[in-house]
Amino acid sequence: MRVKKQKRHRRAVRFYTACFGFREPFKVLCDGTFVHHLVANRITPADTALANILGATVKLFTTRCVLAEMKSLGSSYRESLNAANNLSMARCDHEKRKSAVACITEVIGENNSEHFFVATQDAELRRSLQKIPGVPVVYALRNALFLEQPSSYQRQFAKSAEEERLHMTDMEYNMLRLRKKRRLSDDEQGDSSDAPEEEVDNVSQVQTIKTSIKHSGNDVKDKARFKRKKAKGPNPLSVKKKKKSVDTNVTTSGKVQESQNRDGTVRSRKKRKRSNKSKDAVEGNV
């Protein structure tokens, strides 16, 4: 059941925001009966409870006439009066105190230009506000808050306003007709000024044809010449050097002696160096 109630509230809020331009944070104008019901049923904090049913942040307002009426009701409304004094004040230019119903009706006006949500427990005030387009009404039942669904009059008013926006007004129609006249006059002036421009275009076309005929002859200078690339030799840095074949045998002492085998491969060997220690030993013995 709670889910269905939230859907109805979201649908109603969407209707007022789309058709009448309500924006966050929503402004809620409270009368004395609504504030007294909140205090008596301990629905606190009030802004949080209203924000839950409207789905957005809210700001609570009241009027001086409402406070004066609550003050005149005596000590039974003292706690409610203290709670109402904490709310913001909506502007009401009443030198003499009026009833809360009359004050709220004048603040709302004919089209609710301030975009107020009205929170009240007065049944007569709720019925009268349903006849004014764009006035959502909030009321309470025990410890629960409810948002009234838009009345048939408000829905019909929103539908007719939407149809009027689809059609042009008399002022827009006159502006469109003047714009068409200006376009026609500009087009006529443009047709008269296009004649010399056409002659200039014809002359330029003849000149381009003549130049194309000249260039289509056998003039060799006009043709682009392309040089053929000749084949070049290999890069000397990338060519390996030839190996020298060794035919001679090195027989000098202490150097490498190289010789060729039968299959042509080079074979190198070192000549062993004989020591003279054996000769010295023999001479010493003699």
Side-chain angles (χ1 to χ4, degrees):
M1 191 67 182
R2 184 178 296 177
V3 175
K4 291 183 179 180
K5 184 179 74 172
Q6 290 176 354
K7 285 184 178 179
R8 288 198 303 269
H9 290 167
R10 284 199 298 267
R11 197 180 299 117
V13 171
R14 198 181 304 118
F15 170 79
Y16 288 111
T17 55
C19 298
F20 297 100
F22 282 72
R23 295 291 180 269
E24 299 180 16
F26 295 136
K27 296 187 290 185
V28 182
L29 183 61
C30 305
D31 70 345
T33 58
F34 185 78
V35 175
H36 181 69
H37 185 87
L38 295 180
V39 173
N41 290 275
R42 303 301 176 187
I43 305 175
T44 55
D47 52 354
T48 304
L50 288 167
N52 290 334
I53 68 167
L54 299 181
T57 56
V58 298
K59 192 173 182 180
L60 304 183
F61 291 85
T62 190
T63 62
R64 294 179 180 176
C65 296
V66 172
L67 294 177
E69 187 180 55
M70 294 177 68
K71 191 175 181 179
S72 64
L73 293 175
S75 60
S76 60
Y77 277 75
R78 184 175 299 173
E79 189 177 357
S80 302
L81 178 62
N82 294 332
N85 283 323
N86 295 327
L87 305 182
S88 301
M89 289 295 165
R91 184 179 178 181
C92 68
D93 299 327
H94 299 146
E95 295 180 359
K96 293 183 179 181
R97 181 177 69 84
K98 289 189 175 183
S99 64
V101 175
C103 179
I104 290 174
T105 304
E106 289 188 11
V107 170
I108 295 299
E110 296 180 356
N111 54 2
N112 192 13
S113 59
E114 294 292 331
H115 299 100
F116 278 117
F117 284 76
V118 179
T120 180
Q121 296 296 105
D122 193 341
E124 292 182 1
L125 180 60
R126 285 164 53 187
R127 281 194 297 268
S128 63
L129 291 176
Q130 287 180 353
K131 298 177 182 179
I132 301 174
V135 183
V137 178
V138 180
Y139 65 97
L141 287 177
R142 295 183 180 178
N143 59 351
L145 301 179
F146 294 89
L147 175 65
E148 280 192 356
Q149 295 299 307
S151 62
S152 58
Y153 174 78
Q154 292 177 346
R155 292 185 183 277
Q156 187 64 31
F157 182 86
K159 187 176 180 180
S160 60
E162 186 178 359
E163 290 178 355
E164 288 179 1
R165 286 195 295 268
L166 294 175
H167 300 288
M168 289 191 301
T169 60
D170 295 336
M171 184 182 295
E172 292 174 348
Y173 181 75
N174 292 330
M175 291 174 64
L176 182 62
R177 188 172 56 185
L178 291 173
R179 188 175 294 178
K180 284 183 178 180
K181 287 183 179 180
R182 289 177 183 175
R183 283 186 180 178
L184 291 174
S185 61
D186 293 339
D187 291 340
E188 290 177 358
Q189 292 178 0
D191 293 338
S192 61
S193 62
D194 287 342
E197 292 180 358
E198 290 180 357
E199 294 178 358
V200 173
D201 293 338
N202 292 330
V203 173
S204 61
Q205 288 178 1
V206 171
Q207 290 178 354
T208 54
I209 291 169
K210 287 181 179 180
T211 53
S212 63
I213 291 170
K214 287 182 181 179
H215 288 291
S216 63
N218 295 324
D219 297 334
V220 180
K221 293 181 179 180
D222 294 339
K223 294 180 180 179
R225 295 181 180 180
F226 299 97
K227 294 181 180 181
R228 292 184 179 179
K229 292 183 179 180
K230 296 180 180 179
K232 296 181 180 180
N235 189 0
L237 298 176
S238 63
V239 177
K240 292 183 179 180
K241 294 182 179 180
K242 294 181 180 180
K243 293 182 179 181
K244 295 181 180 180
S245 58
V246 181
D247 294 335
T248 58
N249 296 327
V250 181
T251 57
T252 56
S253 61
K255 292 185 179 180
V256 180
Q257 185 176 0
E258 296 179 354
S259 63
Q260 287 186 353
N261 296 332
R262 292 179 181 178
D263 56 356
T265 58
V266 179
R267 183 168 57 86
S268 61
R269 64 180 181 180
K270 283 186 179 182
K271 187 178 180 182
R272 293 181 63 183
K273 204 170 186 182
R274 294 183 179 179
S275 60
N276 296 326
K277 291 182 179 180
S278 58
K279 292 181 179 181
D280 296 335
V282 172
E283 292 177 355
N285 293 328
V286 176

